[in-house]
């Protein structure tokens, strides 16, 4: 009697397995942004609230500086050893950073060691995240049904929106059952503890990932030296890819991580309202990402990328200016949903485009390096820059200018990467 042949996992099961690590990454990142003011008082005490918040967001941004390092080191590992093994490694490193931030005692308990350990946790998370998004996007693009890459790759970002919604629900629940003093003292740590409990589950799920057929079909897997040389030879692709991602990463951190702080500290909305707004933004993103990813499969990447760089240039600042002149929960919801629509529509086309323009032999490291450079230099510091812009200009709508500038970078990159004759910069790639 012959043994039965194991049935390959469904596409849905594979998508869930590969995007699970993204869920954890964004769950923790969002928590840091929402509880920034509490973290500032716990680890970065200062007589000046603005200074404490700036130190907190600087530490948040410092993690992004490790992303390019992780992109090159871990990205080359994934391109050389395999997609599935690399994604398990990134999850392990990310988990260590999450545990550190959750359990570090306050400044009052251990002094200067507290902010130092928080910084180490952020650096480890940044090192891992430098390739997490790229590794997942490449995996999804290589396992996608032909002609549907945009739809499949969009679920990488959609999984992050699910994490944002989950974190917002937990935060909203804490606001309902705990007094403000309890949240300030210890309650803000509870969601981080929950994130630690999720880690073992995700680790088991991700260990079952199978290698992609496209990677297994390759006869040559480049060495670390070959990968670095190839990236150096294709620096124009990396630069153009980085400019493309600036719009994605700036707008994402503006409408998700920074929104709770913006609503509570700048617009003086209730903390629970800020969380509800963020949940609505996550839900909007979750809807639009796969819809627009599928649309990019039908009409092409270039039309969507052009449309949704021009729209933010024209409307991002006017929308926030309208909001700050008539502050209310309803108006902020309208403004955030509009920014969400522009972000999700652009991102759905941009990420799959980045997997397509990179040479296959360095696809993960090329994608990850372009994305991590954009995040490290621009997106990751969006909360910090937004806080600074409002302080120096006195204009509460100033973050809209930052988003418009990011959209302009995206527009230039689209014109560089996609010619009217249909030729992409990928044609210039050097082996």
């Amino acid at each position: 009697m012959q043994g039965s042949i194991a049935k390959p996992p469904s596409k849905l099961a594979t998508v869930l397995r590969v995007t699970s690590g993204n869920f954890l990454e964004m769950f923790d990142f969002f928590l840091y942004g929402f509880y920034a003011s509490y973290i500032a008082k716990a680890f970065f005490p200062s007589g000046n609230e603005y200074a404490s918040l700036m130190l907190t967001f600087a530490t948040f941004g410092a993690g992004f500086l490790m992303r390019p390092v992780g992109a090159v080191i871990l990205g080359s590992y994934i391109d050389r050893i395999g997609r599935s093994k690399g994604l398990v490694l990134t999850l392990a490193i990310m988990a260590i950073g999450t545990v550190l931030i959750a359990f570090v005692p306050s400044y009052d308990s251990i002094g200067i060691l507290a902010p130092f350990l928080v910084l180490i946790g952020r650096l480890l998370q940044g090192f891992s995240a430098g390739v997490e998004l790229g590794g997942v996007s490449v995996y999804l693009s290589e396992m996608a049904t032909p002609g549907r890459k945009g739809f499949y790759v969009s679920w990488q970002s959609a999984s992050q929106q699910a994490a944002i919604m989950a974190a917002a629900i937990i935060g909203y629940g804490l606001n309902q059952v705990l007094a403000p003093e309890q949240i300030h003292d210890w309650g803000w740590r509870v969601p981080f503890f929950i994130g630690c409990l999720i880690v073992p589950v995700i680790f088991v799920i991700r260990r079952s990932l199978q290698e992609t057929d496209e990677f297994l079909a390759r006869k040559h897997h480049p060495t670390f030296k070959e990968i670095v040389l190839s990236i150096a030879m294709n620096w124009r692709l990396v630069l153009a890819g980085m400019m493309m991602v600036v719009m994605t990463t700036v707008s994402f951190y503006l409408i998700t991580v920074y929104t709770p702080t913006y609503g509570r500290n700048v617009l003086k909305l209730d903390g629970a309202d800020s969380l509800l707004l963020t949940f609505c933004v996550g839900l909007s993103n979750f809807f639009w990402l796969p819809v627009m990813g599928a649309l990019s499969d039908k009409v092409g990447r270039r039309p969507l990328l052009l449309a949704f760089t021009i729209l933010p240039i024209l409307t991002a600042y006017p929308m926030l200016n309208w909001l700050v002149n008539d502050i209310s929960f309803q108006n902020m919801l309208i403004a955030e949903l509009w920014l969400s629509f522009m972000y999700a529509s652009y991102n759905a086309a941009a990420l799959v485009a980045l997997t397509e323009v990179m040479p296959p032999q360095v696809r993960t490291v090329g994608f990850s390096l372009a994305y991590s450079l954009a995040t490290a230099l621009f997106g990751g510091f969006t909360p910090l820059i937004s806080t600074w812009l409002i302080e120096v200009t006195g204009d509460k709508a100033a973050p809209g200018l930052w988003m418009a500038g990011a959209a302009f970078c995206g527009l230039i990159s689209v014109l560089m990467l996609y010619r009217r004759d249909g030729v992409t910069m990928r044609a210039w790639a050097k082996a």
Side-chain angles (χ1 to χ4, degrees), residues 72-83 214-215 218-231 359-366 430-431:
V72 174
I73 296 177
L74 295 177
S76 62
Y77 177 84
I78 292 177
D79 279 331
R80 188 163 38 92
I81 302 299
R83 314 306 191 202
E214 184 173 335
F215 181 85
R218 287 189 202 145
K219 297 180 180 180
H220 174 67
H221 296 158
T223 64
F224 179 76
K225 182 179 179 180
E226 290 173 331
I227 288 172
V228 172
L229 287 175
S230 181
I231 287 296
Q361 70 274 13
V362 290
R363 182 173 287 151
T364 304
V365 68
K430 302 175 183 178

Side-chain angles (χ1 to χ4, degrees), residues 133-154:
L133 188 147
V136 170
S137 297
V138 167
Y139 190 101
L140 290 171
S141 72
E142 291 183 352
M143 57 77 66
T145 304
R148 302 195 68 192
K149 283 190 175 184
F151 174 74
Y152 275 92
V153 174
S154 70

